[in-house]
Amino acid sequence: MKKKSLSDQIFVICNTIFMVAFVVITLYPVLNTLAISFNDGIDTVRGGIHLIPRKFTLQNYYTVLHKQNMVTGAYITVLRTVIGTLLALVTNALLAFIVSRKRFLFKSQLSLFWVITMYVNGGLIPVFLLYKNLHLTGTFWVYVVPGAVSAFNMLVLRTYMVGLPDSLEESAQLDGAGYMTIFVKIISPLCKPVYATVALFVAVGQWNSWFDAMLYNRMSDKYTTLQYELMKLLSSVMQQSGSADSMRNSGNSITPASIRAAATIATMLPIVCLYPFLQRYFVTGLTIGGVKE
Amino acid sequence: MSRGKKKAKQEITWKEIKRQKVLLIWSAFFVIYGFIFYYLPLGGWIMAFQNYKPKDGMLHSKWIGLDKFKFLFSDASFIRVIRNTLAMGTINLVTSFVMAIVFAILLNEVKNVVGKKMVQTISYLPHFLSWIIVTGILHDALSSTGIVNEVLQKLGIVSSQINFFAHESYFWPIVAFSNLWKETGWNAIIYLAAITAIDPSLYEAASIDGAARWAKIRYITLPGIKPTIMILLLMNVGNVLNAGFEVQYILGNGLVQKVSQTIDIYVLNWGISQNDYSLGTAAGIFKSAVSIFLILLANRMAKRSGEESLF
């Protein structure tokens, strides 16, 4: 049994090559952007930058940090991530708590009411008009209020809560505890892992979204977000990519491409730094979420 | 179980309502919220049958019946947009499924625990990056001075730089690749979990019978994760039409718009940029209808073949 056959050895070698290639393809573009972000903009246009900057500079980051829109974007993005996550966590947890109570009279009706929203939605234009009529457009609240409850997150939380023993609730009720107390003091502490999972999903979603900023707050720079600013930078890069030569002669050592690289790195930094520590939570969440409804 | 449910339902008594007062008040809030944000927009669908003018509102706009739908299906660009959405959605669905399953199975064969963990951790990093970042990074890699052109030239496959974003034939593969780059590791997580759940004694028995690695993969691993594959496939079929907005919107340009534009972009262009709310809504309704049809179809096929079904 110990002796490996030839075909087995070939398999192991091929598999290792595949895995290495996979890692290289995943990491190389990211590291390349990192190198470009530290490289002189005009020098980058010449090409040939791989993993190490050729003409090191901090100018790109300096420019990014001094762009008013980037600063506002960072502020709004942090704010929407924090407020949006807290709000979504509280509302989804409360809803999941309600529909996971065994004795609740309308639990199946309320669940169905929300599950339907996963499959049927009004579409872009009606939703746009609704937010406009509710005066949500042009405000910060359009980022956090509409998505506060989502059927998917509710289902993930519900699945977890249903798995908790009923006796917890019953004995608390015997002690005279109301539903509020049961939710806050008994169920919630037990749900910490799944709360972390849902919070992580929501936070990443908030951090990464740009479409809502473009659609609902296009007119006001006051509520711009990091990703939307990045999107604008990217479009300017793509429009100018044909005219690299003209930029080389402009005398300015900063190009949209290098600013974009710096902004990209700055935007993904929080996620890259945090995610190794949060891994186990989202793996749990995905496994729960994949459970058949 | 079902009897217990029925029993609970019959208990709608004043005493029980009083006891659950708090829960009922909270749920009223969730019903109102859900009604406003998820059900009210459905009422907006009537705009598709009107010549909607914002100043007249939905109550006083002129009814035009199916004119907007007629326009849609006589519009060559809408037909093209449907084709693009279906094509890219299907390519993405198939490639991402195959890639995720292959990756999960191969990663499972890696016996070095540290290496396995490391590859997996790196593999799902891109999932957490936004589409803006992903398309930006890939745009760099595919640009005239990017790594892809450089490697292709060094290997002598091409003699001059390829401008990947200027040719229609490259667009769908680029979209499929960016989707694979971002999601393969993430999609594989659930298969890896399913593989872990397979009874190890099956593999041991197979080894004793002298089964080779491929035989084990084919006759134990694949059948073991088949239910997971089926259920995920079912859940994703309804999303085929949703697989077409961000990358296409960001990377699409005038040169490739014939193959890059999707239903969502069409809705955005007509509805928001041209202010034809009615036409945008009509296109949106068409998309919803097709999505629901696809879900029901997939579910039915799954039921017929004796697999698990969603409902």
mmCIF file of all heavy atoms in Angstrom, chain A residues 241-270:
data_model
loop_
_atom_site.group_PDB
_atom_site.id
_atom_site.type_symbol
_atom_site.label_atom_id
_atom_site.label_comp_id
_atom_site.label_asym_id
_atom_site.label_seq_id
_atom_site.Cartn_x
_atom_site.Cartn_y
_atom_site.Cartn_z
ATOM 1 N N SER A 241 -6.479 54.944 -22.325
ATOM 2 C CA SER A 241 -5.441 53.931 -22.567
ATOM 3 C C SER A 241 -4.903 54.019 -23.990
ATOM 4 O O SER A 241 -3.788 53.626 -24.261
ATOM 5 C CB SER A 241 -5.978 52.535 -22.274
ATOM 6 O OG SER A 241 -7.089 52.276 -23.095
ATOM 7 N N GLY A 242 -5.708 54.570 -24.890
ATOM 8 C CA GLY A 242 -5.220 54.699 -26.259
ATOM 9 C C GLY A 242 -4.248 55.845 -26.429
ATOM 10 O O GLY A 242 -3.458 55.874 -27.371
ATOM 11 N N SER A 243 -4.286 56.802 -25.499
ATOM 12 C CA SER A 243 -3.474 58.000 -25.683
ATOM 13 C C SER A 243 -2.312 58.055 -24.706
ATOM 14 O O SER A 243 -1.964 59.097 -24.192
ATOM 15 C CB SER A 243 -4.342 59.247 -25.534
ATOM 16 O OG SER A 243 -4.957 59.221 -24.270
ATOM 17 N N ALA A 244 -1.728 56.901 -24.435
ATOM 18 C CA ALA A 244 -0.626 56.856 -23.476
ATOM 19 C C ALA A 244 0.540 57.720 -23.927
ATOM 20 O O ALA A 244 1.207 58.357 -23.124
ATOM 21 C CB ALA A 244 -0.168 55.408 -23.289
ATOM 22 N N ASP A 245 0.758 57.758 -25.219
ATOM 23 C CA ASP A 245 1.911 58.513 -25.716
ATOM 24 C C ASP A 245 1.789 60.003 -25.443
ATOM 25 O O ASP A 245 2.742 60.657 -25.061
ATOM 26 C CB ASP A 245 2.066 58.284 -27.221
ATOM 27 C CG ASP A 245 2.652 56.919 -27.486
ATOM 28 O OD1 ASP A 245 3.660 56.597 -26.831
ATOM 29 O OD2 ASP A 245 2.092 56.171 -28.302
ATOM 30 N N SER A 246 0.570 60.507 -25.612
ATOM 31 C CA SER A 246 0.396 61.932 -25.389
ATOM 32 C C SER A 246 0.643 62.269 -23.926
ATOM 33 O O SER A 246 1.138 63.347 -23.603
ATOM 34 C CB SER A 246 -1.010 62.360 -25.800
ATOM 35 O OG SER A 246 -1.947 61.670 -25.000
ATOM 36 N N MET A 247 0.313 61.306 -23.036
ATOM 37 C CA MET A 247 0.518 61.588 -21.626
ATOM 38 C C MET A 247 1.985 61.574 -21.247
ATOM 39 O O MET A 247 2.411 62.241 -20.343
ATOM 40 C CB MET A 247 -0.221 60.568 -20.777
ATOM 41 C CG MET A 247 -1.657 60.980 -20.563
ATOM 42 S SD MET A 247 -2.687 59.651 -20.021
ATOM 43 C CE MET A 247 -1.533 58.606 -19.219
ATOM 44 N N ARG A 248 2.735 60.786 -21.982
ATOM 45 C CA ARG A 248 4.154 60.675 -21.669
ATOM 46 C C ARG A 248 4.836 62.039 -21.816
ATOM 47 O O ARG A 248 5.802 62.339 -21.144
ATOM 48 C CB ARG A 248 4.808 59.645 -22.597
ATOM 49 C CG ARG A 248 6.028 59.007 -21.982
ATOM 50 C CD ARG A 248 6.627 58.004 -22.913
ATOM 51 N NE ARG A 248 5.680 56.925 -23.235
ATOM 52 C CZ ARG A 248 6.000 55.885 -23.995
ATOM 53 N NH1 ARG A 248 7.194 55.787 -24.511
ATOM 54 N NH2 ARG A 248 5.127 54.954 -24.252
ATOM 55 N N ASN A 249 4.301 62.843 -22.710
ATOM 56 C CA ASN A 249 4.934 64.127 -22.967
ATOM 57 C C ASN A 249 4.351 65.263 -22.133
ATOM 58 O O ASN A 249 4.777 66.394 -22.232
ATOM 59 C CB ASN A 249 4.793 64.486 -24.454
ATOM 60 C CG ASN A 249 5.444 63.419 -25.311
ATOM 61 O OD1 ASN A 249 6.462 62.853 -24.916
ATOM 62 N ND2 ASN A 249 4.848 63.128 -26.452
ATOM 63 N N SER A 250 3.353 64.952 -21.338
ATOM 64 C CA SER A 250 2.674 66.032 -20.634
ATOM 65 C C SER A 250 3.490 66.559 -19.458
ATOM 66 O O SER A 250 3.175 67.595 -18.899
ATOM 67 C CB SER A 250 1.314 65.559 -20.141
ATOM 68 O OG SER A 250 1.496 64.596 -19.133
ATOM 69 N N GLY A 251 4.533 65.853 -19.061
ATOM 70 C CA GLY A 251 5.382 66.355 -18.004
ATOM 71 C C GLY A 251 4.876 66.009 -16.614
ATOM 72 O O GLY A 251 5.582 66.164 -15.626
ATOM 73 N N ASN A 252 3.662 65.521 -16.516
ATOM 74 C CA ASN A 252 3.116 65.137 -15.219
ATOM 75 C C ASN A 252 3.481 63.682 -14.946
ATOM 76 O O ASN A 252 3.265 62.825 -15.787
ATOM 77 C CB ASN A 252 1.598 65.321 -15.275
ATOM 78 C CG ASN A 252 0.984 65.178 -13.913
ATOM 79 O OD1 ASN A 252 1.619 64.693 -12.987
ATOM 80 N ND2 ASN A 252 -0.265 65.597 -13.804
ATOM 81 N N SER A 253 4.030 63.401 -13.790
ATOM 82 C CA SER A 253 4.487 62.036 -13.545
ATOM 83 C C SER A 253 3.365 61.141 -13.034
ATOM 84 O O SER A 253 3.586 59.996 -12.695
ATOM 85 C CB SER A 253 5.636 62.039 -12.543
ATOM 86 O OG SER A 253 5.124 62.304 -11.270
ATOM 87 N N ILE A 254 2.147 61.686 -12.960
ATOM 88 C CA ILE A 254 1.038 60.880 -12.453
ATOM 89 C C ILE A 254 0.071 60.564 -13.582
ATOM 90 O O ILE A 254 -0.325 61.445 -14.329
ATOM 91 C CB ILE A 254 0.312 61.638 -11.334
ATOM 92 C CG1 ILE A 254 1.267 61.774 -10.156
ATOM 93 C CG2 ILE A 254 -0.929 60.899 -10.898
ATOM 94 C CD1 ILE A 254 0.930 62.890 -9.262
ATOM 95 N N THR A 255 -0.276 59.294 -13.695
ATOM 96 C CA THR A 255 -1.229 58.908 -14.729
ATOM 97 C C THR A 255 -2.464 58.323 -14.053
ATOM 98 O O THR A 255 -2.379 57.835 -12.925
ATOM 99 C CB THR A 255 -0.635 57.842 -15.661
ATOM 100 O OG1 THR A 255 -0.364 56.680 -14.870
ATOM 101 C CG2 THR A 255 0.629 58.321 -16.321
ATOM 102 N N PRO A 256 -3.588 58.357 -14.725
ATOM 103 C CA PRO A 256 -4.792 57.758 -14.146
ATOM 104 C C PRO A 256 -4.553 56.300 -13.759
ATOM 105 O O PRO A 256 -5.041 55.833 -12.738
ATOM 106 C CB PRO A 256 -5.821 57.868 -15.269
ATOM 107 C CG PRO A 256 -5.366 58.994 -16.107
ATOM 108 C CD PRO A 256 -3.872 58.993 -16.022
ATOM 109 N N ALA A 257 -3.771 55.590 -14.579
ATOM 110 C CA ALA A 257 -3.543 54.176 -14.305
ATOM 111 C C ALA A 257 -2.830 53.977 -12.969
ATOM 112 O O ALA A 257 -3.183 53.079 -12.194
ATOM 113 C CB ALA A 257 -2.736 53.549 -15.429
ATOM 114 N N SER A 258 -1.840 54.810 -12.682
ATOM 115 C CA SER A 258 -1.110 54.601 -11.430
ATOM 116 C C SER A 258 -1.929 55.068 -10.230
ATOM 117 O O SER A 258 -1.866 54.465 -9.158
ATOM 118 C CB SER A 258 0.248 55.301 -11.478
ATOM 119 O OG SER A 258 0.090 56.642 -11.823
ATOM 120 N N ILE A 259 -2.714 56.121 -10.423
ATOM 121 C CA ILE A 259 -3.601 56.540 -9.329
ATOM 122 C C ILE A 259 -4.620 55.448 -9.050
ATOM 123 O O ILE A 259 -4.927 55.129 -7.908
ATOM 124 C CB ILE A 259 -4.335 57.847 -9.690
ATOM 125 C CG1 ILE A 259 -3.318 58.968 -9.838
ATOM 126 C CG2 ILE A 259 -5.353 58.206 -8.629
ATOM 127 C CD1 ILE A 259 -3.959 60.275 -10.174
ATOM 128 N N ARG A 260 -5.124 54.869 -10.147
ATOM 129 C CA ARG A 260 -6.102 53.804 -9.973
ATOM 130 C C ARG A 260 -5.495 52.632 -9.209
ATOM 131 O O ARG A 260 -6.128 52.059 -8.321
ATOM 132 C CB ARG A 260 -6.596 53.328 -11.335
ATOM 133 C CG ARG A 260 -7.970 52.719 -11.266
ATOM 134 C CD ARG A 260 -8.142 51.611 -12.250
ATOM 135 N NE ARG A 260 -7.736 50.367 -11.638
ATOM 136 C CZ ARG A 260 -6.886 49.526 -12.168
ATOM 137 N NH1 ARG A 260 -6.330 49.770 -13.314
ATOM 138 N NH2 ARG A 260 -6.559 48.427 -11.546
ATOM 139 N N ALA A 261 -4.271 52.291 -9.541
ATOM 140 C CA ALA A 261 -3.612 51.185 -8.842
ATOM 141 C C ALA A 261 -3.516 51.480 -7.349
ATOM 142 O O ALA A 261 -3.834 50.635 -6.509
ATOM 143 C CB ALA A 261 -2.234 50.944 -9.429
ATOM 144 N N ALA A 262 -3.124 52.714 -7.017
ATOM 145 C CA ALA A 262 -2.991 53.074 -5.602
ATOM 146 C C ALA A 262 -4.350 53.033 -4.912
ATOM 147 O O ALA A 262 -4.486 52.512 -3.793
ATOM 148 C CB ALA A 262 -2.374 54.463 -5.482
ATOM 149 N N ALA A 263 -5.366 53.573 -5.583
ATOM 150 C CA ALA A 263 -6.703 53.574 -4.987
ATOM 151 C C ALA A 263 -7.230 52.150 -4.822
ATOM 152 O O ALA A 263 -7.871 51.831 -3.818
ATOM 153 C CB ALA A 263 -7.670 54.382 -5.861
ATOM 154 N N THR A 264 -6.926 51.296 -5.788
ATOM 155 C CA THR A 264 -7.357 49.898 -5.697
ATOM 156 C C THR A 264 -6.750 49.229 -4.473
ATOM 157 O O THR A 264 -7.447 48.581 -3.688
ATOM 158 C CB THR A 264 -6.922 49.123 -6.966
ATOM 159 O OG1 THR A 264 -7.501 49.759 -8.101
ATOM 160 C CG2 THR A 264 -7.360 47.681 -6.902
ATOM 161 N N ILE A 265 -5.441 49.405 -4.315
ATOM 162 C CA ILE A 265 -4.773 48.783 -3.169
ATOM 163 C C ILE A 265 -5.340 49.334 -1.866
ATOM 164 O O ILE A 265 -5.654 48.582 -0.935
ATOM 165 C CB ILE A 265 -3.249 49.020 -3.247
ATOM 166 C CG1 ILE A 265 -2.662 48.350 -4.493
ATOM 167 C CG2 ILE A 265 -2.559 48.509 -1.988
ATOM 168 C CD1 ILE A 265 -2.781 46.845 -4.546
ATOM 169 N N ALA A 266 -5.520 50.643 -1.802
ATOM 170 C CA ALA A 266 -6.039 51.250 -0.577
ATOM 171 C C ALA A 266 -7.432 50.713 -0.262
ATOM 172 O O ALA A 266 -7.766 50.474 0.901
ATOM 173 C CB ALA A 266 -6.081 52.772 -0.726
ATOM 174 N N THR A 267 -8.240 50.494 -1.292
ATOM 175 C CA THR A 267 -9.615 50.042 -1.076
ATOM 176 C C THR A 267 -9.687 48.582 -0.651
ATOM 177 O O THR A 267 -10.533 48.193 0.136
ATOM 178 C CB THR A 267 -10.447 50.239 -2.361
ATOM 179 O OG1 THR A 267 -10.289 51.582 -2.783
ATOM 180 C CG2 THR A 267 -11.898 49.957 -2.121
ATOM 181 N N MET A 268 -8.765 47.773 -1.190
ATOM 182 C CA MET A 268 -8.870 46.365 -0.813
ATOM 183 C C MET A 268 -8.067 46.013 0.437
ATOM 184 O O MET A 268 -8.235 44.929 0.985
ATOM 185 C CB MET A 268 -8.478 45.455 -1.977
ATOM 186 C CG MET A 268 -7.070 45.516 -2.420
ATOM 187 S SD MET A 268 -7.003 44.627 -3.984
ATOM 188 C CE MET A 268 -5.644 43.592 -3.702
ATOM 189 N N LEU A 269 -7.269 46.948 0.891
ATOM 190 C CA LEU A 269 -6.421 46.670 2.050
ATOM 191 C C LEU A 269 -7.201 46.185 3.282
ATOM 192 O O LEU A 269 -6.835 45.161 3.869
ATOM 193 C CB LEU A 269 -5.590 47.919 2.392
ATOM 194 C CG LEU A 269 -4.331 47.629 3.199
ATOM 195 C CD1 LEU A 269 -3.379 46.763 2.393
ATOM 196 C CD2 LEU A 269 -3.639 48.922 3.604
ATOM 197 N N PRO A 270 -8.265 46.896 3.681
ATOM 198 C CA PRO A 270 -8.986 46.430 4.879
ATOM 199 C C PRO A 270 -9.483 45.005 4.739
ATOM 200 O O PRO A 270 -9.397 44.208 5.685
ATOM 201 C CB PRO A 270 -10.165 47.397 4.978
ATOM 202 C CG PRO A 270 -9.770 48.589 4.198
ATOM 203 C CD PRO A 270 -8.863 48.114 3.123
#
